[in-house]
Amino acid sequence: QVQLVESGGGLVQPGGSLRLSCAASGNIFKIYAMGWYRQAPGKQRELVATITTGGSTVYADSVKGRFTISRDNAKNTMYLQMNSLKPEDTAVYYCNTMPANSSWGQGTQVTVSS
């Protein structure tokens, strides 16, 4: 079973930037569409960005124009570049296939606060 490990989260001020990484144990990006998801306290997990096997991208309206999803197949790594961060972006961020399978990683905490 492929394992996914998220990293790159942290504390950032509003308007700041972070880049999240998702390292896969196998070469799955050519097989599955992938997504970045997030879960804020007291809220359901939501899909924020998707990248297809062909490289097409889709974003939730709440992050469109601010977040960019990308991947490096040679490194088996997917990224989420997050710019112009807002307090409402505070959440634990996860990567998974899209649609998501039942195996979730630990996620990486992103906190946007002054």
Side-chain angles (χ1 to χ4, degrees):
Q1 186 173 357
V2 175
Q3 291 185 326
L4 300 169
V5 179
E6 304 93 346
S7 62
L11 173 64
V12 63
Q13 292 186 341
S17 298
L18 283 173
R19 189 176 81 154
L20 307 184
S21 297
C22 169
S25 60
N27 189 357
I28 65 170
F29 300 148
K30 294 183 179 179
I31 302 172
Y32 300 105
M34 298 295 297
W36 280 100
Y37 303 76
R38 68 185 181 187
Q39 186 166 22
K43 295 187 176 182
Q44 288 189 333
R45 191 173 291 162
E46 63 172 341
L47 176 66
V48 297
T50 301
I51 185 165
T52 69
T53 54
S56 298
T57 57
V58 180
Y59 300 92
D61 288 344
S62 58
V63 306
K64 198 173 296 182
R66 300 187 298 122
F67 289 12
T68 303
I69 188 172
S70 63
R71 65 170 190 248
D72 185 332
N73 289 348
K75 296 181 178 180
N76 292 337
T77 303
M78 180 173 70
Y79 305 98
L80 186 68
Q81 177 67 44
M82 306 187 296
N83 299 327
S84 303
L85 283 162
K86 304 176 180 180
E88 51 264 43
D89 295 318
T90 295
V92 179
Y93 284 71
Y94 303 87
C95 59
N96 205 325
T97 57
M98 210 300 290
N101 63 53
S102 60
S103 180
W104 293 93
Q106 294 296 311
T108 186
Q109 175 71 49
V110 172
T111 302
V112 185
S113 174
S114 55

